[in-house]
């Protein structure tokens, strides 16, 4: 469940002591002013349950957030199989700059084994985060790859994952490694 719902994912990482961007769960059915108290833009809004970057939009201000909400609300309103909470709430988190990568691996009795690391060549700054090209092998150094694998191992433990495939997307910047999302499945779409 932690790999499926973005708000729960952020909570589990924070509880495990891993760095997460400032985030809020916004109820799109009520006013925003109290919900946004203390939040510093730029941010990114995300549906709680969708994948493939559907409904993910960078917002640089409250005005941009208010303009983007109807678009995301329309996307989640037609999503099937989600409960009322998941279709009335969004995740707002602080935008994370940096290089983006995707990592595929397998968990075997709790041990992460990497299969592939892909660089995302386009700098994803928004406002939309379209899935584009992946390049392999990665341009990361061996020492950085080791840090990535160790970090993913910590994320898997935080989520309670022990067996099966893992797809992770990360940002790397001067402040370290940041999980964008992790799925307890292989990479989706045509990428697989």
């Amino acid at each position: 469940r932690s790999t499926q719902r973005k708000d729960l994912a952020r909570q589990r990482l924070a509880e495990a002591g891993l760095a997460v961007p400032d985030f809020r769960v916004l109820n799109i059915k009520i006013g925003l002013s109290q919900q946004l108290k203390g939040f510093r833009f730029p941010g990114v809004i995300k549906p709680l349950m969708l994948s493939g970057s559907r409904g993910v939009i960078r917002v640089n201000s409250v005005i941009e957030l208010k303009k983007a909400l109807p678009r995301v609300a329309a996307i989640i309103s037609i999503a099937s199989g989600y409960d009322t909470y998941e279709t009335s709430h969004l995740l707002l988190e602080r935008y994370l700059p940096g290089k983006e990568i995707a990592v595929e691996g397998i968990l075997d009795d709790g041990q992460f084994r990497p299969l592939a690391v892909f660089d995302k060549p386009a700098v994803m700054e928004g406002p939309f985060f379209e899935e584009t090209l992946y390049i392999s092998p990665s341009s990361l150094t061996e020492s950085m790859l080791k840090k990535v694998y160790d970090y993913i191992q910590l994320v898997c433990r935080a989520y309670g994952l022990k067996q099966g495939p893992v797809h992770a997307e990360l940002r790397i910047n001067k402040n370290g490694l940041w999980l964008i999302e992790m799925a307890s499945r292989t990479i989706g779409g045509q990428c697989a």
Side-chain angles (χ1 to χ4, degrees), residues 9-24:
R10 290 292 184 229
Q11 290 170 5
R12 291 294 291 268
L13 294 176
E15 289 165 4
L18 296 172
V20 294
D22 182 23
F23 70 94
R24 312 286 164 82

Side-chain angles (χ1 to χ4, degrees), residues 9 27 30 34 44 60 72 90 95 97 99 108 124 134 166 186:
N27 181 339
I30 63 173
Q34 284 300 107
V44 176
N60 296 315
V72 180
L90 298 173
Y95 170 77
K99 176 182 179 65
D108 183 19
M124 303 290 209
Y134 286 157
V166 172
T186 59

